[in-house]
């Protein structure tokens, strides 16, 4: 039986004075891929930011257990070192640090060990090839002047290099053309094949076409209202969200 990696128990979350999540609970086992879908404003991105301890999101009550440890009050850096990674809808540019330097530093921060430059470059080269990214990407300042597709590829590059225990992908396919979706999808499948656990937050299903999905959750008005298997994605495509929202 698979080990429970993430256990979210009855969380209530505010952004300023507005209550966004209203008693949400969720359980994800190691190696599984879960999908969160729902209409705009349902609280999908709020869930991702709450799991990553974004200070803008006030967790008023409930608990978050990750890998057997209560991380409810842990800050973002502690959660990252524990093995949680969140990708963003619109990654911000970071002038002054290259993509390659950022990833190498992040690996060392997470593991607490220096990584040999030869080993890093070897791993980096194979990952870049998988994502059809030129090596020059890693010499550019992080997300500075990157197109939307390049930003998303850069995040999947970070995902594969950092190899977190849990990856939370927030609208990763947003703004991508068909070819970029295929490339990003290949990277995500590779992460899954490495044994990675995924929580994919999306309102589109393009990225899901080539992925194995264990559970699909419909989020509405701050709560998970329905949980099912991969077939639930197809039902949403056919009928929309209205049938799940009372």
């Amino acid at each position: 039986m698979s080990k429970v990696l993430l256990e979210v128990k009855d969380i209530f979350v505010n952004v300023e004075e507005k209550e966004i999540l209203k008693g949400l609970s969720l359980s994800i086992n190691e190696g599984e891929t879960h999908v969160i879908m729902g209409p705009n404003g349902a609280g999908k991105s709020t869930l991702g930011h709450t799991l990553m301890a974004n200070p803008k999101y006030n967790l008023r009550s409930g608990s978050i257990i990750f890998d057997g440890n209560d991380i409810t009050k842990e800050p973002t850096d502690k959660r990252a070192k524990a093995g949680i990674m969140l990708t963003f809808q619109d990654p911000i540019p970071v002038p002054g640090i290259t993509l390659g330097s950022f990833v190498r530093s992040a690996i060392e921060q997470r593991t607490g060990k220096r990584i040999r430059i030869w080993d890093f470059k070897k791993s980096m080269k194979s990952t870049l090839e998988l994502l059809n990214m030129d090596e020059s990407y890693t010499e550019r300042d992080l997300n500075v002047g990157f197109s939307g597709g390049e930003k998303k590829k850069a995040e999947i590059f970070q995902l594969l290099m950092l190899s977190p225990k849990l990856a939370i992908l927030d609208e990763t396919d947003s703004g991508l053309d068909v070819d970029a979706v295929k490339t990003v999808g290949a990277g995500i499948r590779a992460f899954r094949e490495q044994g990675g656990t995924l929580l994919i937050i999306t309102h589109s299903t393009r990225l899901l076409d080539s992925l194995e999905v264990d559970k699909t959750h419909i989020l509405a008005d701050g709560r998970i209202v329905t949980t099912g298997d991969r077939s639930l994605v197809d039902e949403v495509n056919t009928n929309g969200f209205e049938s799940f929202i009372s």
Side-chain angles (χ1 to χ4, degrees), residues 1-11 24-30 32 34 47 50-51 59 61-72 79 84 166 197 199 215 224:
M1 188 174 187
S2 298
K3 172 187 173 184
V4 175
L5 181 64
L6 177 71
E7 187 78 27
V8 180
K9 299 180 180 179
D10 198 30
I11 61 171
L24 184 147
S25 295
L26 175 68
S27 180
I28 302 177
N29 291 336
E30 283 185 338
E32 290 184 339
H34 286 228
L47 173 60
T50 299
L51 293 175
L59 178 57
S61 64
S63 63
I64 301 171
I65 310 299
F66 180 71
D67 203 16
N69 299 306
D70 189 336
I71 63 167
T72 308
R79 298 188 189 195
I84 303 176
L166 171 67
T197 304
L199 177 59
K215 289 187 180 180
I224 291 177

Side-chain angles (χ1 to χ4, degrees), residues 86-245:
L86 170 67
T87 68
F88 298 95
Q89 292 185 38
D90 186 18
I92 62 172
V94 184
I97 182 169
T98 66
L99 172 59
S101 296
F102 174 81
V103 171
R104 186 181 180 195
S105 176
I107 293 171
E108 292 178 341
Q109 287 290 320
R110 185 185 164 197
T111 62
K113 300 177 182 177
R114 296 286 294 175
I115 182 172
R116 294 192 305 174
I117 188 65
W118 171 254
D119 292 336
F120 176 72
K121 285 187 174 181
K122 184 179 179 182
S123 177
M124 186 170 66
K125 183 178 180 180
S126 62
T127 303
L128 289 169
E129 288 174 353
L130 174 66
L131 297 174
N132 295 316
M133 294 173 69
D134 190 89
E135 204 165 330
S136 62
Y137 277 105
T138 63
E139 299 167 1
R140 295 167 61 183
D141 284 2
L142 181 60
N143 295 325
V144 175
F146 283 25
S147 67
E150 288 173 337
K151 287 181 179 180
K152 298 302 176 70
K153 285 184 180 181
E155 290 220 304
I156 300 303
F157 169 73
Q158 294 170 52
L159 169 67
L160 292 172
M161 291 294 292
L162 288 167
S163 192
K165 294 177 183 177
L166 171 67
I168 305 164
L169 310 184
D170 189 3
E171 304 289 0
T172 298
D173 57 349
S174 176
L176 298 183
D177 61 28
V178 173
D179 290 335
V181 168
K182 289 180 179 178
T183 299
V184 167
I188 295 171
R189 287 195 303 275
F191 174 73
R192 167 84 187 235
E193 289 166 5
Q194 293 171 0
T197 304
L198 287 162
L199 177 59
I200 300 174
I201 298 169
T202 186
H203 67 270
S204 169
T205 60
R206 293 188 304 163
L207 191 62
L208 305 179
D209 290 341
S210 61
L211 296 177
E212 180 181 340
V213 174
D214 295 291
K215 289 187 180 180
T216 305
H217 311 276
I218 306 300
L219 182 59
D221 193 29
R223 301 180 181 87
I224 291 177
V225 295
T226 303
T227 294
D229 57 18
R230 176 65 174 77
S231 64
L232 192 54
V233 174
D234 300 323
E235 191 173 341
V236 168
N237 279 335
T238 302
N239 302 315
F241 294 113
E242 287 189 13
S243 61
F244 302 105
I245 303 171

